Amino acid sequence: MQIRLAQDADFAQWLPLWKGYQTFYKTDIAESVTALTWKRFLDPAEPMHCAVAEIDGALVGMVHYIYHRSCWTAGDYVYLQDLFTLSNLRGKGVGRALIEHVYASAAHEAA
């Protein structure tokens, strides 16, 4: 399994994960918001990020996280907003690996 930042070419595999996440939480996010969110993930000037879990070329999980300012500290916070893995891989370490990626990203930014 490889954990990496999402790339433009990942959209077609990311979208079913994103839709699965929405189904799990019984919500339906507008396509225009989904398109904007994806665009933000790919923009280095945006504080929003998407990492994906990949096994044998297939995306099997995703995590979205956002850096934001705080009134309580000089440094930024990292908010893990969305986490989703394919149901047949739950309990197999995919979600944990995605969370660990967010931890590592936050530690790198703080350094």
Side-chain angles (χ1 to χ4, degrees), residues 65 67 98-110:
Y65 54 104
Y67 289 94
L98 289 163
I99 292 168
E100 292 295 332
H101 169 86
V102 176
Y103 285 153
S105 180
H108 180 266
E109 285 294 318

Side-chain angles (χ1 to χ4, degrees), residues 1-3 52-56 60-61 89 92-98:
M1 176 174 49
Q2 178 187 10
I3 306 297
V52 293
E54 181 179 24
I55 298 175
D56 297 328
V60 298
L89 293 175
K92 307 240 189 264
V94 176
R96 171 55 50 198
L98 289 163

Side-chain angles (χ1 to χ4, degrees), residues 14-27 62 83-86 90:
W14 168 84
L15 186 59
L17 295 170
W18 180 228
K19 293 289 187 183
Y21 175 86
Q22 292 174 52
T23 298
F24 184 85
Y25 284 103
K26 298 179 175 79
T27 191
M62 55 111 196
L83 176 68
F84 185 78
T85 66
L86 295 177
R90 292 190 187 134

Side-chain angles (χ1 to χ4, degrees), residues 46-66:
E46 286 285 344
M48 297 174 62
H49 304 279
C50 173
V52 293
E54 181 179 24
I55 298 175
D56 297 328
L59 299 189
V60 298
M62 55 111 196
V63 64
H64 303 153
Y65 54 104
I66 303 168

Side-chain angles (χ1 to χ4, degrees), residues 71-87:
C71 294
W72 291 22
T73 64
D76 289 346
Y77 283 83
V78 179
Y79 174 66
L80 190 156
Q81 185 164 15
D82 310 308
L83 176 68
F84 185 78
T85 66
L86 295 177
S87 60

